[in-house]
């Protein structure tokens, strides 16, 4: 029995892609390349499997399949029945009518498969093929970046962790007492100058200079964890855990009591950090006493040095069940030691917001910046407010 003739598959694939393009199908170089890669990977032993590769890589709409079938039948001698790939499973029996295996090799295919033509079926199709956009997965920032944190589920909030890792929390620089060598420093390093003079017979030919070493200011975050602020507090805690440059931040939460979470948030995942925070704070999703919580922070931490020269971030909507006058006094105390106070209030996203009553009205005069921070996109404004230098301290406020 004579062996069936072999076909040069690369040339046939190129001719098939060109024929599809001439028939009106949107087969460009990218789709032709995908079809060629599929043929190499699958190594089809029958024209049915070759047809599967063609439909999968070249057709982007069901209406295009009939036209593709007609072109496939014309190029590959009409040896495929479209009812087979979409209804039966002719590829399960690759033998021909006489029971002989259709010969094929990687890079070539035989022409002895037992399938019939589909040209007559394709002739009745009408209408021009339409191009359908290929679905692309959107990133978490594109899907949830503009949505309010209060609208996100815990799972959706966790998906924003990667986007938050791309952010960077930066605070203004401050000069420390420690110095470093500098060619243009304002202070002469006498010891280094004399040590260098030993090389020039004791003559101080070159003066060694030093300058003060700059460091970023400490960031202290105070998060309101009352019922209305729960989703925003979770988002800010996740931001302070994920964002670069925020690992040294001192984190406190408050509702009716003040709780320090700095150690609980170290060396863990964002989800575990939030779970630890909710477990350690007994008043999570409770009422709010902002003034009393600030008084406790000032007494125990702020005036002892933690807030001195630091950037203080307060996240709260300003609803205070305590004394507003106490909040004003404690904000004044905090403003005298802090370098900068940034208040994040999700309610300020509304254009008609005004601090007329309540705790926000008492705190407003002592804030250097007030931002909304209600969504991932709004965090850019928050990060900019944290990085901005103070305009002149308490006097400017």
């Amino acid at each position: 029995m004579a062996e069936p003739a072999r076909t040069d598959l690369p040339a046939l694939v190129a001719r098939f892609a060109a024929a599809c393009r001439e028939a009106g199908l949107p087969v460009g170089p990218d789709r032709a390349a995908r079809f060629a890669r599929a043929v190499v990977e699958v190594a089809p032993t029958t024209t049915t499997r070759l047809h599967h590769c063609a439909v999968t890589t070249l057709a982007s709409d069901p209406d295009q399949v009939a036209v593709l079938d007609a072109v496939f039948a014309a190029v590959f001698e009409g040896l495929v029945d479209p009812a087979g790939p979409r209804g039966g499973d002719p590829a399960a029996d690759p033998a021909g009518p006489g029971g002989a295996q259709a010969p094929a090799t990687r890079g070539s295919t035989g022409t002895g498969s037992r399938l019939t033509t589909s040209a007559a079926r394709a002739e009745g199709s009408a209408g021009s093929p339409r191009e359908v956009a290929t679905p692309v997965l959107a990133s978490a920032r594109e899907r949830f970046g503009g949505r309010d944190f209060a609208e996100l589920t815990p799972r959706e909030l966790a998906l924003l962790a990667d986007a938050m890792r791309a952010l960077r929390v930066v605070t203004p620089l401050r000069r420390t007492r420690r110095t470093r060598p500098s060619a243009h420093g304002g202070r002469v390093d006498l010891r280094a100058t004399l040590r260098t003079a030993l090389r020039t017979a004791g003559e101080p030919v070159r003066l060694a200079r030093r300058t003060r070493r700059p460091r970023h200011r400490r960031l202290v975050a105070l998060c309101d964890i009352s019922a209305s602020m729960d989703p925003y507090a979770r988002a800010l805690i996740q931001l302070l855990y994920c964002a670069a440059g925020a690992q040294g931040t001192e984190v406190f939460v408050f509702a009716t009591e003040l709780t320090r979470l700095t150690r609980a948030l170290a060396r863990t995942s964002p989800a575990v950090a939030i779970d630890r925070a909710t477990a350690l704070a007994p008043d999570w999703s409770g009422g709010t006493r902002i003034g009393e919580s600030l008084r406790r922070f000032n007494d125990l931490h702020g005036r002892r040095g933690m807030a001195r020269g630091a950037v203080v971030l307060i996240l709260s909507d300003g609803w205070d069940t305590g004394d507003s006058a106490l909040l004003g006094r404690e904000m004044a105390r905090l403003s005298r030691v802090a370098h900068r106070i940034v208040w994040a209030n999700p309610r300020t996203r509304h254009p008609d917001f005004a601090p007329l009553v309540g705790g926000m009205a008492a705190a407003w005069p002592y804030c250097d910046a007030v931002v909304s921070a209600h969504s991932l996109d709004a965090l850019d404004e928050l990060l900019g407010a944290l990085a901005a230098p103070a305009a002149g301290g308490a006097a400017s406020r």
Side-chain angles (χ1 to χ4, degrees):
M1 180 177 178
E3 184 177 351
R6 302 295 179 96
T7 304
D8 184 7
L9 189 59
L12 198 59
V13 166
R15 184 158 61 90
F16 175 58
C20 289
R21 191 162 50 252
E22 292 176 0
L25 294 176
V27 178
D30 54 340
R31 294 193 182 185
R34 286 202 303 267
F35 177 50
R37 286 196 299 270
V39 171
V40 172
E41 293 295 330
V42 175
T45 57
T46 64
T47 50
T48 298
R49 296 187 178 183
L50 183 62
H51 180 265
H52 287 176
C53 296
V55 173
T56 303
T57 58
L58 300 179
S60 60
D61 187 88
D63 296 341
Q64 299 173 2
V65 177
V67 180
L68 188 144
D69 287 347
V71 176
F72 190 93
V75 174
F76 294 99
E77 302 180 2
L79 298 178
V80 65
D81 183 5
R86 293 187 293 277
D89 188 14
D93 181 16
Q101 177 74 25
T105 59
R106 193 177 185 90
S108 64
T109 183
T111 58
S113 186
R114 61 180 175 87
L115 303 175
T116 58
T117 182
S118 62
R121 182 171 182 169
E123 288 178 358
S125 61
S128 58
R130 58 188 178 90
E131 180 73 12
V132 177
T134 303
V136 179
L137 290 177
S139 65
R141 174 146 198 165
E142 292 171 335
R143 294 165 59 192
F144 308 122
R147 290 179 56 186
D148 196 298
F149 288 136
E151 301 174 357
L152 300 180
T153 64
R155 181 179 177 275
E156 291 173 339
L157 180 61
L159 294 177
L160 295 179
D162 289 337
M164 289 181 176
R165 288 189 179 96
L167 302 177
R168 181 171 179 81
V169 177
V170 179
T171 54
L173 293 173
R174 66 177 180 87
R175 292 192 306 169
T176 64
R177 294 189 177 186
R178 295 190 176 186
T179 60
R180 59 179 175 84
S182 175
H184 305 286
R187 180 180 301 179
V188 176
D189 188 344
L190 184 59
R191 184 174 297 178
T193 300
L194 294 178
R195 188 167 52 248
T196 305
L198 296 177
R199 304 174 186 175
T200 56
E203 293 292 336
V205 177
R206 176 180 173 272
L207 293 179
R209 295 182 178 274
R210 300 184 69 87
T211 187
R212 287 189 178 183
R213 181 178 300 172
R215 287 187 60 182
H216 288 283
R217 294 183 179 273
R218 180 188 295 113
L219 176 61
V220 180
L222 304 171
C223 303
D224 185 347
I225 55 172
S226 60
S228 60
M229 291 298 299
D230 174 77
Y232 304 104
R234 292 174 180 268
L236 183 60
I237 290 174
Q238 179 169 295
L239 170 69
L240 296 178
Y241 178 85
C242 295
Q247 284 69 23
T249 303
E250 291 285 347
V251 181
F252 294 82
V253 294
F254 66 88
T256 57
E257 300 180 11
L258 182 72
T259 306
R260 187 178 182 182
L261 298 180
T262 305
R263 293 183 179 179
L265 301 182
R267 299 179 182 179
T268 183
S269 65
V272 174
I274 294 177
D275 291 340
R276 287 182 181 178
T278 56
L280 288 175
D283 54 345
W284 195 287
S285 295
T288 313
R289 291 192 296 178
I290 307 176
E292 180 62 28
S293 299
L294 279 182
R295 185 193 64 78
R296 185 169 178 81
F297 172 77
N298 286 332
D299 292 343
L300 298 181
H301 306 283
R303 302 200 65 178
R304 293 185 178 183
M306 183 179 292
R308 192 171 299 278
V311 176
V312 179
L313 169 62
I314 301 176
L315 174 69
S316 177
D317 55 7
W319 292 110
D320 190 8
T321 58
D323 186 5
S324 298
L326 175 62
L327 174 58
R329 289 195 302 269
E330 295 304 322
M331 284 292 295
R333 290 179 63 193
L334 182 61
S335 66
R336 286 192 288 268
V337 296
H339 174 76
R340 182 171 173 81
I341 298 178
V342 177
W343 193 295
N345 185 345
R347 293 196 297 142
T348 60
R349 69 184 183 275
H350 301 295
D352 55 348
F353 172 82
L356 301 179
V357 295
M360 201 67 232
W364 192 275
Y366 306 101
C367 298
D368 293 281
V370 178
V371 296
S372 64
H374 66 284
S375 66
L376 183 64
D377 292 342
L379 292 182
D380 293 334
E381 184 183 5
L382 170 63
L383 299 180
L386 296 178
S396 64
R397 301 188 191 101

